[in-house]
């Protein structure tokens, strides 16, 4: 239950410890010198058929490439975007760094990202996401009695889910929304308790995975793990870590991969800028890209892998950055939310970014179908939609934002979603199936292939290291 107990309403999380080695990264240092190697000539046919080709310059691809290169292998990374980092995206358009994709290291104790941050001397600050103020009216917070009733309802929900997880397979087709409705009816939950219960489900589950509980099943729910300790953010941006790990790597940005062909003799990767030949390929593109079939595989992927891709889900967690002329919200909380609206499936959390970068910034985060619906509105309408919650918390006279940034990860052709999750029929085993290599030619990495830490940066990093190790072991024992 660790991943779903990160709000003050929820139960005390268990602590899990990761034991692993990241010593191979100790040789990495400095900053990435040139993130756009698109000026380098891209041959119609690559000159070195023994090179290893990595698809994607996110944290998984960079980690795999760095480890392989450190072992003496020749590696090239092909990246479709005009930048490195993938879903780690630090934007500076407002005059200071803001992470529009991944922003946190969640639970730093034992997390493999933590020693890297220390090694590279990257500044982080604690983000206490349990410091959350919940509003039910203008300047009016939930009472302690409200919180107790809501917490009791959520406890009943978790007890019911855990009971069903032990039930026969047929009963495990139940969605989390079905379970929530059972609790609402059996416990006769109404009024502000009902709204708070729904908000807690959104905060603890939907905001964590980017998907509505109506699309989440109990089979894969709560099967992944977490570490312990504080959460931290990067005042100067997550991209610092990507840049440090990318030192001396051959990364070709603006190379859109269209096809991966493989046989006993090697691999050929077709891009919009030429064909690259190699001995092996490591595919690290997001699950959403695989689900869309954006890259053709020849021969086609095995049926078992295709089925795993279909069973896993891809969330739609998005952000609206709001810069105001001055701060009008309280300084104490790290997050705030309004729960007394009249639309059940609408939930927005506001992160007090003023605490981290000393700028009058709120970052609104929202997920699932509500997140997708905002992208169908004109941007001005979407911003006004979000602003209604702030006015419900702080009054109608609050200022308008002077600058905004709105993400649409679910529409991004290089990701088609924020990160992967377990859909109704998905499970940890599907992550394992996705991670399985095809012979000794095609390898797979990325957070979707690391079920234990699904949907996380550290899961992506560990997956890249896993595939590099797998490749090295195969070659050593080959």
């Amino acid at each position: 239950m660790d991943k779903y107990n990160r709000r003050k309403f929820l139960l005390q999380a268990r602590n899990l410890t990761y034991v692993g080695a990241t010593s191979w990264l100790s040789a990495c240092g400095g900053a990435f010198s040139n993130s756009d190697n698109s000026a380098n000539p891209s041959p119609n046919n690559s000159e070195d058929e023994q090179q290893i080709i990595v698809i994607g310059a996110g944290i998984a691809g960079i980690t795999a490439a760095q480890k392989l290169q450190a072992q003496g292998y020749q590696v090239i990374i092909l990246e479709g975007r005009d930048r490195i980092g993938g879903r780690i995206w630090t934007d500076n358009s407002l005059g200071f760094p803001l992470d529009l994709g991944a922003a946190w290291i969640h639970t730093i104790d034992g997390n493999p990202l933590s020693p890297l941050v220390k090694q590279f001397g990257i500044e982080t600050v604690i983000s206490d996401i349990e410091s959350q103020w919940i509003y039910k009216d203008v300047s009016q917070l939930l009472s302690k009695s409200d919180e107790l009733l809501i917490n009791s309802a959520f406890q009943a929900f978790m007890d019911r889910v855990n009971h069903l997880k032990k039930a026969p397979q047929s009963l495990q087709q139940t969605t989390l929304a079905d379970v929530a409705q059972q609790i609402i009816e059996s416990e006769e939950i109404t009024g502000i308790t009902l709204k708070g219960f729904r908000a807690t489900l959104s905060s603890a589950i939907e905001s964590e995975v980017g998907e509505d509980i109506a699309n989440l099943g109990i089979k894969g729910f709560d099967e992944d793990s977490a570490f312990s300790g504080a959460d931290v953010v990067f005042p100067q941006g997550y991209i610092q870590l990507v840049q440090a790990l990318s030192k001396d790597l051959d990364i070709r940005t603006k190379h859109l991969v269209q096809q991966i062909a493989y046989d006993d003799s090697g691999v050929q990767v077709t891009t919009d800028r030429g064909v690259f030949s190699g001995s092996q390929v490591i595919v690290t593109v997001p699950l959403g890209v695989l689900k869309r079939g954006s890259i053709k595989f020849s021969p086609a992927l095995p049926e078992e892998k295709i089925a795993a891709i279909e069973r896993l889900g891809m969330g739609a967690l998005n952000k609206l950055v709001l810069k105001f002329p001055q701060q009008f919200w309280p300084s104490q909380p790290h997050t705030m939310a309004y729960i007394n609206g009249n639309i059940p499936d609408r939930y927005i959390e506001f992160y007090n970014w003023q605490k981290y970068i000393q700028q009058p910034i709120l970052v609104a985060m929202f997920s699932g179908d509500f997140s997708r619906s905002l992208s169908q509105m004109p941007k001005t309408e979407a911003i006004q939609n979000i602003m209604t919650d702030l006015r419900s918390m702080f009054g109608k006279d609050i200022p308008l934002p002077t600058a905004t940034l709105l993400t649409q990860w679910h529409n991004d052709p290089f990701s088609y979603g924020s990160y992967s999750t377990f859909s109704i029929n998905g499970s940890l085993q599907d992550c394992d199936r996705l991670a399985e290599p095809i012979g000794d030619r095609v390898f797979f990495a990325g957070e979707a292939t690391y079920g234990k830490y699904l949907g996380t940066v550290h899961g992506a990093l560990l997956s890249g290291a896993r595939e590099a190790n797998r490749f090295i072991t195969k070659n050593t024992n080959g």
Side-chain angles (χ1 to χ4, degrees):
M1 204 158 45
D2 215 3
K3 189 173 182 180
Y4 303 98
N5 286 338
R6 296 176 45 230
R7 298 293 185 273
K8 70 176 184 176
F9 291 144
L10 312 186
L11 306 173
Q12 180 64 39
R14 65 176 180 259
N15 291 328
L16 298 174
T17 303
Y18 163 77
V19 179
T22 57
S23 59
W24 60 271
L25 285 166
S26 62
C28 305
F32 181 58
S33 58
N34 181 12
S35 65
D36 183 1
N37 285 336
S38 58
N40 291 355
S42 295
N44 290 330
N45 287 287
S46 174
E47 66 278 359
D48 189 346
E49 295 186 356
Q50 292 307 306
Q51 68 187 346
I52 302 166
I53 303 171
V54 176
I55 311 300
I59 199 73
I62 285 171
T63 301
Q66 187 66 256
K67 185 173 178 66
L68 288 166
Q69 187 163 291
Q71 292 295 313
Y73 293 96
Q74 183 173 344
V75 186
I76 183 173
I77 300 178
L78 303 178
E79 167 59 52
R81 300 182 189 272
D82 60 1
R83 60 175 179 82
I84 63 172
R87 286 168 285 172
I88 295 176
W89 176 23
T90 303
D91 179 88
N92 289 280
S93 63
L94 299 187
F96 39 82
L98 286 166
D99 283 314
L100 301 185
W104 284 267
I105 298 180
H106 288 300
T107 53
I108 59 176
D109 295 343
N111 192 310
L113 293 169
S114 297
L116 299 177
V117 168
K118 182 177 180 180
Q119 174 188 331
F120 297 127
I122 300 173
E123 178 192 6
T124 61
V125 295
I126 290 177
S127 173
D128 183 5
I129 55 180
E130 291 185 2
S131 171
Q132 185 179 50
W133 287 15
I134 306 298
Y135 288 78
K136 59 182 179 181
D137 207 340
V138 176
S139 302
Q140 186 177 0
L141 299 174
L142 287 180
S143 67
K144 292 295 182 183
S145 59
D146 290 334
E147 292 183 13
L148 287 173
L149 290 172
I150 295 166
N151 191 45
S152 176
F154 187 79
Q155 174 73 71
F157 169 82
M158 288 302 301
D159 289 345
R160 179 63 177 161
V161 169
N162 290 330
H163 173 74
L164 287 172
K165 286 177 73 69
K166 300 172 184 176
Q169 191 74 23
S170 59
L171 293 180
Q172 293 192 21
Q173 303 301 308
T174 305
T175 70
L176 295 183
D178 293 333
V179 178
Q181 188 58 37
Q182 293 170 14
I183 297 302
I184 291 168
E185 294 173 0
S186 64
E187 302 290 323
E188 298 181 347
I189 302 173
T190 59
I192 196 65
T193 304
L194 174 59
K195 292 180 177 180
F197 174 54
R198 285 174 169 157
T200 302
L201 293 170
S202 294
S203 178
I205 301 174
E206 294 177 340
S207 293
E208 292 289 342
V209 302
E211 191 53 271
D212 297 333
I213 57 174
N215 299 323
L216 301 173
I218 65 171
K219 182 179 179 181
F221 175 68
D222 204 21
E223 292 294 315
D224 48 346
S225 303
F227 302 107
S228 61
D231 298 327
V232 298
V233 296
F234 299 81
Q236 297 302 313
Y238 222 134
I239 194 63
Q240 298 170 96
L241 181 60
V242 177
Q243 291 171 335
L245 292 175
S246 302
K247 179 176 168 53
D248 297 329
L249 294 179
D250 182 359
I251 302 177
R252 311 289 178 93
T253 54
K254 301 180 185 176
H255 280 62
L256 184 63
V257 173
Q258 300 166 331
Q259 177 175 284
I260 298 172
Y262 58 96
D263 57 25
D264 291 341
S265 64
V267 299
Q268 278 199 333
V269 177
T270 302
T271 76
D272 61 344
R273 304 185 65 170
V275 178
F276 292 78
S277 298
S279 57
Q280 281 95 0
V281 63
I282 301 177
V283 181
T284 74
V285 298
L287 173 69
V289 174
L290 295 175
K291 291 176 80 69
R292 285 293 184 106
S294 302
I295 298 175
K296 179 183 178 182
F297 288 84
S298 180
L301 293 175
E303 299 257 340
E304 190 175 55
K305 191 177 292 289
I306 292 173
I309 290 169
E310 291 175 349
R311 282 191 295 266
L312 291 170
M314 194 69 176
L317 182 69
N318 281 299
K319 300 180 180 181
L320 173 64
V321 175
L322 298 158
K323 181 183 179 183
F324 293 95
Q326 69 273 341
Q327 180 178 347
F328 57 82
W329 56 92
S331 297
Q332 302 95 311
H334 286 247
T335 72
M336 297 163 285
Y338 175 68
I339 67 166
N340 206 15
N342 296 316
I343 304 175
D345 296 327
R346 183 182 188 278
Y347 179 77
I348 305 161
E349 285 185 327
F350 295 89
Y351 286 79
N352 183 7
W353 228 254
Q354 166 81 27
K355 297 183 78 72
Y356 312 135
I357 62 172
Q358 291 73 56
Q359 295 284 344
I361 296 285
L362 289 175
V363 179
M365 295 182 66
F366 33 88
S367 63
D369 286 343
F370 173 66
S371 175
R372 297 180 183 99
S373 71
L374 286 180
S375 68
Q376 299 173 8
M377 306 176 187
K379 184 181 177 182
T380 54
E381 185 178 337
I383 292 168
Q384 286 305 313
N385 190 304
I386 300 298
M387 287 292 294
T388 58
D389 277 34
L390 289 176
R391 294 189 181 101
S392 296
M393 291 189 283
F394 304 115
K396 296 181 179 179
D397 295 329
I398 61 173
L400 292 172
T402 57
T404 61
L405 296 169
L406 178 63
T407 69
Q408 293 187 19
W409 287 104
H410 58 290
N411 287 333
D412 184 337
F414 298 105
S415 64
Y416 288 117
S418 48
Y419 39 72
S420 38
T421 186
F422 299 121
S423 57
I424 294 175
N425 295 311
S427 68
L428 281 173
Q429 289 70 38
D430 289 316
C431 298
D432 294 338
R433 294 182 185 103
L434 181 56
E436 277 294 310
I438 302 175
D440 63 351
R441 294 297 171 194
V442 185
F443 298 77
F444 294 86
E447 50 87 9
T449 73
Y450 211 95
K452 185 176 182 180
Y453 302 123
L454 189 72
T456 65
V457 176
H458 52 270
L461 180 139
L462 290 169
S463 75
R466 178 199 64 212
E467 292 313 299
N469 285 330
R470 194 198 305 264
F471 177 86
I472 292 167
T473 300
K474 279 179 176 285
N475 273 14
T476 302
N477 298 335

